[in-house]
Amino acid sequence: MAFDVSCFFWVVLFSAGCKVITSLDQMCIEKEANKTYNCENLGLSEIPDTLPNTTEFLEFSFNFLPTIHNGTFSRLMNLTFLDLTRCQINWIHEDTFQSHHQLNTLVLTGNPLIFMAETSLNGPKSLKHLFLIQTGISNLEFIPVHNLENLESLYLGSNHISSIKFPKDFPARNLKVLDFQNNAIHYLSREDMRSLEQATNLSLNFNGNDVKGIEPGAFGSIVFQSLNFGGTLNLSVIFNGLQNSTTQSLWLGTFEDIDDEDISSAMLKGLCEMSVESLNLQKHHFSDFSSTTFQCFTQIQELDLTATHLAGLPSGIKGLNLLKKLVLSVNHFDQLCQISAANFPSLTHLYVRGNVKKLHLGVGCLEKLGNLQILDLSHNDIEASDCCNLQLRNLSHLQTLNLSHNELLGLQSQAFKECPRLELLDLAFTRLHINAPQSPFQNLHFLQVLNLTYCFLDTSNQHLLAGLPDLRHLNLKGNHFQDGTIMKTNLLQTVGSLEILILSSCGLLSIDQQAFHGLGKMSHVDLSHNSLTCDSIASVSHFKGIYLNLAANSINIIPPHLLPILSQQSTINFSHNPLDCTCSNIHFLTWYKENLHKLEGSEETTCANPPSLRGVKLSDVKLSCGITAIGIFFLTVFLLLFTILLFFAVKNLLRWKYRHI
């Protein structure tokens, strides 16, 4: 035992003993008792005896299992998920998983497989997800087809596969995802695709294969959920090969390090011969961009032109009445009007984020988009001294507006009057200058989520959040309060419907006990990364069953009278506080151990004092606080000396009185 110097007040009268209680010798991390375990990167060559037989979810990647057989995992019969990524597996023998009837997902990524027995996957009655990424497979005949009738997703990326021809008896009826990305597939024939004809709504990924040829009609007999030919050098091959095909989504984007052909209007005419609802052409260049470029886009409902080097869209584009979603992010517009929004009268979702140049909002550039519901203009260096009614004119159906990560925006009273149906407004990391004494949000009666992270607000304005009767989620992270204190009277009193409140990194030193009394529906309070002490815990005394984040504050000792407040909450985070692990804090330390089920971040909840326990988890500390034998001895001596002194004092007093009678 080490003496606790903070208890030296009574010298050796009351001494404290501290010791670390080490956890059970269990190398794997328990995430959910008796069910979920993480044994990653522990150099294991077998399943540890410490794992209970009831384990269902096991992460066992980055260990050493060159050969697995029917005895390797036989004890863990309840497994539903097994991750064996990079375990140097070469051989998978017969009936390896015969006892695992509930196994749903098997991950074999990164293992240099040499042999898989035909019956190696026998046993699971509902194996749905199989990962064979980077396993060195060059031929699909390598994959055992027995017991794959329920397979829904098969991931074969980053191998050496050149043909997607499966064995004749391969069960593809329930297959929903088939991933061949980054292989060596350059030609797709009708015969290759015939084995997949039983599949419906299949998502097929050929990303990174540079397909050079497709036999006409190869894709005509299957209805696809998505097709991905990303990184193909010549898109003419894809458009010609997909004639008469049907897919909900077609991904034809490219990558910055690929020297592919520019897209021409003639090339895109291939879209007229196929049925596509969603098209992605990101990072391509257009050789001739005009209104005729879009003549075969009449059935398109979603179009992604991210980083396609556009400086503007031509006006007069016809036939895009079905287009609902348009992504124009990371392009080169000078002004929002250059997207020619009138071309897209049915648009409900518009994303113009991360523009390469400083984007000017203009006036009424989007007024023809009367059906717009979601608008993302974030990361555009937008600056406006009077925002946002002129810029957002006629957007009365807008529900989500993202103006985060921009420059200075000046907001007048009812700054969003043109968007009365807003439900989510994100202004994070955009400096706001409020030019009116009243709230700029006061007409947003349907607003539920408001993100004002690092907006440099004047939080002393008690009317700032007025007029938001349905606000449920408020993020004020990074906005500072006067003198680091939230007073009894504050801007939160007008938002009584709040359920989630984030006040992290606000430089808070204290919170008045009555500061949150108007908030009766709260379920989540984040006060992390401030400088609060235990006194501020009283401010949440009327909350019950909430998530309370007090991480990274200045809390060291929590007195007993505050513990009932903590006990009535559902989840609490005390991590990264300078907690005292001496007898002065014994009541809290005892409470902590009794309420581990309520605590989040326990791995980072450590002692700061005394020095001998610095860095030790609170759950591993045991204090022995009380009067020791040495203390009893000195107490006895002290009382004896005190009695003798008292006796002589009384005796002398009586003698003095007697002499002066």
Side-chain angles (χ1 to χ4, degrees), residues 92-149:
I92 304 179
H93 289 280
E94 292 83 358
D95 304 322
T96 295
F97 303 103
Q98 65 176 353
S99 303
H100 304 90
H101 303 305
Q102 301 176 52
L103 189 62
N104 176 281
T105 303
L106 178 60
V107 183
L108 295 169
T109 297
N111 288 289
L113 297 178
I114 297 174
F115 172 76
M116 287 184 73
E118 287 189 11
T119 61
S120 60
L121 299 178
N122 281 7
K125 295 180 179 179
S126 58
L127 186 62
K128 294 183 178 180
H129 311 289
L130 179 59
F131 292 77
L132 293 169
I133 301 167
Q134 289 186 338
T135 50
I137 295 175
S138 59
N139 193 319
L140 297 181
E141 297 280 350
F142 180 85
I143 303 172
V145 299
H146 293 281
N147 201 39
L148 296 182
E149 290 79 8

Side-chain angles (χ1 to χ4, degrees), residues 242-311:
L242 295 183
Q243 290 185 14
N244 301 317
S245 65
T246 300
T247 180
Q248 194 276 331
S249 174
L250 179 59
W251 205 95
L252 299 175
T254 188
F255 308 100
E256 294 179 355
D257 58 346
I258 292 180
D259 186 18
D260 53 4
E261 294 186 19
D262 290 354
I263 296 179
S264 66
S265 298
M267 189 184 297
L268 292 171
K269 288 183 179 179
L271 286 170
C272 289
E273 306 299 326
M274 55 191 299
S275 176
V276 179
E277 293 183 9
S278 176
L279 178 63
N280 188 309
L281 296 171
Q282 71 174 35
K283 296 191 176 181
H284 278 289
H285 286 79
F286 290 88
S287 59
D288 54 338
F289 197 72
S290 64
S291 58
T292 59
T293 302
F294 299 91
Q295 62 183 351
C296 290
F297 285 54
T298 54
Q299 301 300 313
I300 300 293
Q301 296 182 29
E302 298 182 5
L303 178 60
D304 192 334
L305 296 174
T306 297
T308 46
H309 316 279
L310 300 176

Side-chain angles (χ1 to χ4, degrees), residues 392-641:
L392 304 179
R393 182 189 300 163
N394 199 37
L395 300 185
S396 59
H397 289 86
L398 198 64
Q399 297 175 7
T400 298
L401 175 60
N402 189 345
L403 286 167
S404 64
H405 296 270
N406 283 299
E407 297 297 327
L408 179 65
L409 294 181
L411 301 181
Q412 304 289 344
S413 178
Q414 297 191 38
F416 302 94
K417 188 177 181 179
E418 292 287 330
C419 315
R421 299 186 185 181
L422 274 181
E423 296 178 5
L424 186 152
L425 177 57
D426 190 348
L427 295 164
F429 296 95
T430 297
R431 183 184 289 268
L432 300 180
H433 180 62
I434 312 300
N435 298 321
Q438 300 300 317
S439 170
F441 316 112
Q442 60 184 315
N443 67 303
L444 301 179
H445 303 304
F446 300 99
L447 195 69
Q448 297 183 22
V449 179
L450 178 58
N451 190 349
L452 297 173
T453 300
Y454 286 101
C455 287
F456 300 93
L457 297 170
D458 177 12
T459 55
S460 64
N461 181 357
Q462 297 179 23
H463 304 289
L464 181 64
L465 302 174
L468 299 174
D470 204 29
L471 190 66
R472 301 175 188 177
H473 185 138
L474 175 62
N475 192 336
L476 290 173
K477 178 179 180 179
N479 292 285
H480 287 244
F481 289 75
Q482 187 173 2
D483 298 325
T485 300
I486 301 181
M487 307 297 292
K488 177 180 179 180
T489 304
N490 57 74
L491 77 170
L492 299 173
Q493 293 180 333
T494 60
V495 284
S497 59
L498 268 189
E499 297 175 5
I500 298 174
L501 175 61
I502 300 175
L503 291 167
S504 59
S505 303
C506 289
L508 294 175
L509 300 173
S510 64
I511 301 175
D512 188 275
Q513 293 187 16
Q514 306 293 318
F516 300 143
H517 262 228
L519 308 177
K521 300 180 179 180
M522 201 64 70
S523 63
H524 181 116
V525 178
D526 187 348
L527 299 171
S528 62
H529 296 276
N530 285 293
S531 299
L532 298 171
T533 62
C534 64
D535 295 335
S536 296
I537 294 176
S539 64
V540 299
S541 61
H542 63 293
F543 295 147
K544 293 183 179 180
I546 70 168
Y547 169 89
L548 178 61
N549 191 349
L550 292 167
N553 274 284
S554 300
I555 299 171
N556 50 16
I557 295 177
I558 299 179
H561 72 274
L562 294 177
L563 297 180
I565 299 174
L566 301 178
S567 296
Q568 65 191 23
Q569 313 310 337
S570 63
T571 306
I572 309 173
N573 191 329
F574 281 111
S575 62
H576 303 290
N577 273 285
L579 293 167
D580 192 296
C581 292
T582 68
C583 289
S584 301
N585 208 17
I586 186 62
H587 296 287
F588 170 69
L589 295 173
T590 302
W591 176 92
Y592 185 92
K593 291 184 180 182
E594 293 173 349
N595 291 272
L596 286 174
H597 61 285
K598 292 178 176 284
L599 297 164
E600 180 185 70
S602 56
E603 292 293 318
E604 292 80 35
T605 306
T606 59
C607 302
N609 186 49
S612 60
L613 291 178
R614 185 171 296 147
V616 175
K617 292 189 297 183
L618 259 66
S619 57
D620 289 342
V621 173
K622 183 178 180 181
L623 291 182
S624 177
C625 300
I627 304 178
T628 64
I630 298 175
I632 293 174
F633 171 76
F634 278 97
L635 178 61
T636 303
V637 172
F638 173 79
L639 292 175
L640 180 61
L641 292 174

